[in-house]
Amino acid sequence: MTADGPGFGLARRLAAEGVGTALLLAVVVGSGVMGEGLSGGNDAIALLLNTVSTGAGLFVLITLLGPVSGAHFNPLVTLLGAASGQLGRGEALARMAVQVAGAVAGVLLAHAMFDQPLAQVSGKGRDGAGQVLSEAVATFGLLMVIQLGARLAPGALAALVALYITAAYGFTASTSFANPAVTLARSLTDTFAGIAPASVPGFLAGQAAGAFAAALASSWLLKDHRARG
């Protein structure tokens, strides 16, 4: 999401991506479990805790790990970096691999913290055209925030991403996954934050469509800014 800092080798960049994605999923899943346990069946309260925790966690993770790896934590962000020439193909593939592995590790960590079975499969269906459209909108917005923020307001990028995700939890029907690694990993938790494996393809399709639209839109909007730069 931000430019990699000088002096950080590939191993450290990959470690930052893996650890950051793991902690992000631990926040998402763990706060969902906590919220569901404390809310007495009130989904609105559970979602509120889940939302606030995720936004706060993102701000911290991006602020601290952004200077190391750029704090992508998302294969789509990494793909855009590779497409723009900021990342080589080999590093991009390695980043995506550690993002997925880190996301799964974060889910397992959340299960362990709450004394739940480590191996789970979600039974929470998130199906329908509205859910797919929501993921397209959520992903479009997230990548637009990242692309425009990195160019126009780099010092505020961590806050911009965290605030956008906090808002998108509330205004999208899907609660804004906007991340293939997150989506895949959340199919492995039968908790508040889960998604049934059968619902995953629709979410991935929506995310891909949103990412493609964001790449086109941000490139067009920033064309003059790049020319001046």
Side-chain angles (χ1 to χ4, degrees):
M1 293 181 187
T2 59
D4 297 350
F8 294 99
L10 177 60
R12 288 176 174 80
R13 295 197 297 271
L14 294 179
E17 285 296 299
V19 170
T21 311
L23 289 174
L24 173 59
L25 266 295
V27 169
V28 171
V29 174
S31 63
V33 174
M34 179 69 81
E36 197 168 40
L38 295 177
S39 67
N42 188 323
D43 285 346
I45 295 176
L47 181 60
L48 178 61
L49 177 59
N50 197 207
T51 301
V52 172
S53 297
T54 300
L58 268 173
F59 178 78
V60 173
L61 291 171
I62 295 169
T63 298
L64 296 180
L65 296 178
V68 180
S69 70
H72 293 184
F73 313 147
N74 187 331
L76 295 176
V77 178
T78 298
L79 279 175
L80 286 184
S84 66
Q86 297 174 0
L87 286 174
R89 181 180 298 178
E91 179 170 349
L93 290 173
R95 280 178 180 245
M96 289 188 282
V98 299
Q99 287 159 1
V100 173
V104 172
V107 170
L108 296 177
L109 176 60
H111 291 166
M113 287 192 293
F114 286 91
D115 295 319
Q116 295 205 356
L118 295 184
Q120 300 181 24
V121 177
S122 178
K124 188 170 186 176
R126 297 176 185 263
D127 302 308
Q131 294 282 322
V132 175
L133 176 60
S134 291
E135 277 304 289
V137 171
T139 306
F140 175 83
L142 174 61
L143 295 185
M144 287 292 286
V145 167
I146 292 170
Q147 295 290 96
L148 298 181
R151 282 280 182 170
L152 306 178
L157 189 55
L160 291 171
V161 171
L163 288 170
Y164 174 78
I165 290 297
T166 299
Y169 257 68
F171 80 77
T172 63
S174 64
T175 66
S176 183
F177 286 42
N179 183 329
V182 166
T183 304
L184 292 169
R186 286 172 66 169
S187 71
L188 302 177
T189 181
D190 196 22
T191 63
F192 183 81
I195 175 174
S199 302
V200 167
F203 269 51
L204 296 181
Q207 290 160 8
F212 181 72
L216 294 178
S218 62
S219 178
W220 182 78
L221 285 171
L222 292 171
K223 184 176 181 180
D224 293 341
H225 185 268
R226 290 195 179 100
R228 290 196 301 270

